[in-house]
Amino acid sequence: MISIRTSLLLLLQHLFLMSPSAVSGSHHHRNHSLLADKAALLAFKKTIIFDPKYMLASWSEDGDVCSFTGVRCDKHRHSVVKLNLSRGAITGPLSPIISNLSGLRSLSLSENNFYGIIPPKFSSLHHLHYLFLDSNSLHGPFPEFLSVLPNLTVLSLSGNHLTGTLPPSFFSNCTSLANIDLSQNLLTGQIPEEIGNCPGIWNLNLYNNQFTGELPASLANISELYNIDVEYNNLTGELPGNIMGKLYSVVSLHLSYNNMFSHDHNTNLEPFFTALANCTELEELEMAGMNLGGRLPSSIGRLSVNLDTMLLQENRISGNDSFRNSTSLQSYSAEFDVQFSKWNHSS
Ligand SMILES: *[C@@H]1O[C@H](CO)[C@@H](O)[C@H](O)[C@H]1NC(C)=O
Ligand SMILES: *[C@@H]1O[C@H](CO)[C@@H](O)[C@H](O)[C@H]1NC(C)=O
Ligand SMILES: *[C@@H]1O[C@H](CO)[C@@H](O)[C@H](O)[C@H]1NC(C)=O
Ligand SMILES: *[C@@H]1O[C@H](CO)[C@@H](O)[C@H](O)[C@H]1NC(C)=O
Ligand SMILES: *[C@@H]1O[C@H](CO)[C@@H](O)[C@H](O)[C@H]1NC(C)=O
Ligand SMILES: *[C@@H]1O[C@H](CO)[C@@H](O)[C@H](O)[C@H]1NC(C)=O
Ligand SMILES: *[C@@H]1O[C@H](CO)[C@@H](O)[C@H](O)[C@H]1NC(C)=O
Ligand SMILES: *[C@@H]1O[C@H](CO)[C@@H](O)[C@H](O)[C@H]1NC(C)=O
Ligand SMILES: *[C@@H]1O[C@H](CO)[C@@H](O)[C@H](O)[C@H]1NC(C)=O
Ligand SMILES: *[C@@H]1O[C@H](CO)[C@@H](O)[C@H](O)[C@H]1NC(C)=O
């Protein structure tokens, strides 16, 4: 679990560093005055209640805005394009004044204590690609209004207190969305079928919410999906063989602690594992704590040769020793709490 999450983060940073600062393409639309950006940042500073690490100490009336801690301008100094105050331990309301930074491409306020709702005015940040608000104290509904941002690529709202449902309309317009992390919130209701409209999603993390209903069948249309983590929700329905059989590039599938069941009234795991054999890149399979019934089918031997973690504990699965011999999997324990190694990594 940790390894995949870490590598996603690294991949993300890689993507970010590789992306050109494409602000010049739209310069004719904008007032290039850095003065407005500076005024907005200084006004934002005034809203901060506690800044124990003095993150904002360099933000002053007579300073150069492009040299403020956490601030980056585009190379022509036309506007502020990035604000990163992550891990600042800053306390304050999440102020709508940030939306005055009209050229902003990346906003990262992760791991602070920003509170309040996500300001609807953020919908005016038209150039925003990356929005990291994870690990704060934000509440209120999911920010549906961000659907108007044409280039929003990463939306990370993990570790807040967001409530309510995930509105289908958010997914009506999501051609750029690649990474959506809503884990560790209090979101309820169904995962909208419309999510299948977002062709570029490779990370879907809904871990630890209160989602109900079935996984939407439309996920089968998101061919780039790399990580699906829906652990610790209240999802129901049959194990999603119909979806997984079409998602050839999934590397990590976390379904643990939901209320799903196997085929034939929770007695037959064969169709799911057969479908899963199509995921030839699969490295992590977590299906613990679902009260799943059935015998471990021999098709488990056809799972990806890259599989290195399979968690099946806290189910009612009965084993079949012959799978030990038929697979590239090195070892397993009787409880099916399995950490496999690949043959080619040993000896
Ligand atoms: C650009 O912004 C500055 C400062 O906010 C303002 O004085 C100026 O009139 C603006 N220019 C245009 C063309 O909007
Ligand atoms: C933010 O933008 C609004 C609308 O353009 C403007 O009225 C307001 O003065 C700006 N606030 C700051 C602090 O720059
Ligand atoms: C923000 O800065 C922190 C270090 O202070 C860094 O670890 C993180 O990757 C940065 N985030 C972005 C989106 O650049
Ligand atoms: C969105 O990205 C495209 C491609 O990089 C670019 O041409 C377009 O100007 C961007 N739109 C905005 C509003 O930044
Ligand atoms: C979809 O995006 C377009 C332009 O990017 C925007 O005009 C429209 O309002 C968006 N629709 C919704 C439902 O957000
Ligand atoms: C997948 O996309 C195709 C083509 O857009 C569509 O006809 C089909 O209904 C979609 N499948 C699901 C399960 O949403
Ligand atoms: C989730 O499922 C658990 C156990 O099945 C149940 O106690 C709880 O009320 C459910 N929560 C929601 C939000 O449906
Ligand atoms: C697995 O892939 C094969 C070959 O592409 C395809 O025919 C089959 O329908 C897939 N299985 C499922 C369950 O989708
Ligand atoms: C174990 O799996 C093998 C291969 O699929 C099958 O022939 C055998 O009957 C199974 N054994 C039991 C006890 O189910
Ligand atoms: C597995 O292979 C070993 C050695 O190749 C053999 O002794 C054993 O009987 C096999 N076990 C099963 C269940 O097929």
Side-chain angles (χ1 to χ4, degrees):
M1 190 190 292
I2 299 298
S3 64
I4 290 287
R5 287 192 181 138
T6 307
S7 58
L8 284 175
L9 194 59
L10 291 173
L11 182 51
L12 197 60
Q13 285 171 355
H14 177 73
L15 285 175
F16 184 77
L17 292 171
M18 296 302 285
S19 66
S21 62
V23 283
S24 50
S26 48
H27 54 87
H28 48 283
H29 295 307
R30 236 177 308 132
N31 181 342
H32 299 309
S33 177
L34 273 178
L35 290 175
D37 285 350
K38 184 173 183 175
L41 287 168
L42 292 173
F44 172 63
K45 179 179 177 175
K46 290 208 181 89
T47 68
I48 300 303
I49 290 170
F50 188 43
D51 177 18
K53 296 183 175 177
Y54 304 104
M55 293 286 283
L56 308 183
S58 66
W59 293 24
S60 66
E61 206 62 69
D62 51 356
D64 170 15
V65 61
C66 297
S67 306
F68 285 6
T69 301
V71 171
R72 202 171 79 194
C73 297
D74 66 306
K75 61 175 184 281
H76 306 295
R77 296 176 55 88
H78 289 147
S79 71
V80 169
V81 293
K82 182 171 176 178
L83 176 59
N84 181 358
L85 298 173
S86 66
R87 295 183 207 136
I90 294 167
T91 297
L94 184 58
S95 172
I97 290 171
I98 293 172
S99 66
N100 279 35
L101 301 168
S102 56
L104 208 58
R105 286 166 45 87
S106 174
L107 175 60
S108 179
L109 302 176
S110 309
E111 296 179 54
N112 284 291
N113 189 27
F114 285 104
Y115 56 83
I117 62 164
I118 300 172
K121 280 197 169 167
F122 279 16
S123 62
S124 66
L125 291 168
H126 291 299
H127 301 286
L128 203 62
H129 286 59
Y130 307 97
L131 180 58
F132 296 92
L133 299 175
D134 47 288
S135 301
N136 279 287
S137 305
L138 300 168
H139 72 266
F142 175 86
E144 179 182 6
F145 45 83
L146 297 179
S147 70
V148 301
L149 305 182
N151 287 342
L152 189 65
T153 308
V154 176
L155 179 60
S156 178
L157 304 177
S158 167
N160 282 289
H161 313 296
L162 302 180
T163 49
T165 61
L166 201 46
S169 56
F170 177 75
F171 301 105
S172 57
N173 226 3
C174 51
T175 46
S176 300
L177 199 61
N179 181 339
I180 178 162
D181 185 349
L182 308 178
S183 61
Q184 317 223 58
N185 278 288
L186 303 163
L187 298 167
T188 53
Q190 305 213 358
I191 303 166
E193 199 64 47
E194 285 77 359
I195 199 169
N197 296 337
C198 316
I201 296 183
W202 55 266
N203 179 33
L204 175 63
N205 194 341
L206 304 178
Y207 165 79
N208 200 5
N209 277 284
Q210 292 162 18
F211 287 113
T212 50
E214 302 190 17
L215 271 184
S218 64
L219 286 180
N221 270 350
I222 311 183
S223 59
E224 313 261 304
L225 264 171
Y226 174 100
N227 178 51
I228 302 174
D229 190 342
V230 294
E231 259 179 56
Y232 288 104
N233 278 286
N234 273 24
L235 299 173
T236 54
E238 188 170 324
L239 287 172
N242 54 337
I243 297 172
M244 298 315 297
K246 300 190 178 64
L247 293 178
Y248 304 111
S249 56
V250 167
V251 167
S252 175
L253 176 63
H254 292 192
L255 301 174
S256 300
Y257 303 102
N258 279 291
N259 303 316
M260 295 176 185
F261 44 84
S262 66
H263 200 58
D264 294 334
H265 308 290
N266 206 22
T267 60
N268 183 2
L269 289 162
E270 175 77 46
F272 179 68
F273 278 98
T274 299
L276 210 55
N278 277 4
C279 306
T280 54
E281 310 293 321
L282 194 67
E283 292 176 18
E284 296 185 3
L285 175 61
E286 302 197 0
M287 300 169 49
M290 295 204 282
N291 204 26
L292 292 171
R295 181 168 290 281
L296 213 50
S298 59
S299 50
I300 200 169
R302 294 196 296 275
L303 292 183
S304 157
V305 295
N306 297 314
L307 192 66
D308 61 24
T309 299
M310 178 159 72
L311 302 184
L312 298 176
Q313 74 271 25
E314 297 171 64
N315 285 303
R316 295 183 291 115
I317 301 173
S318 46
N320 181 338
D321 264 7
S322 71
F323 96 86
R324 255 200 284 202
N325 284 5
S326 63
T327 73
S328 62
L329 306 173
Q330 198 174 41
S331 63
Y332 77 111
S333 76
E335 307 80 52
F336 303 111
D337 181 357
V338 199
Q339 298 286 337
F340 292 113
S341 309
K342 282 177 268 178
W343 283 123
N344 57 4
H345 281 188
S346 59
S347 75

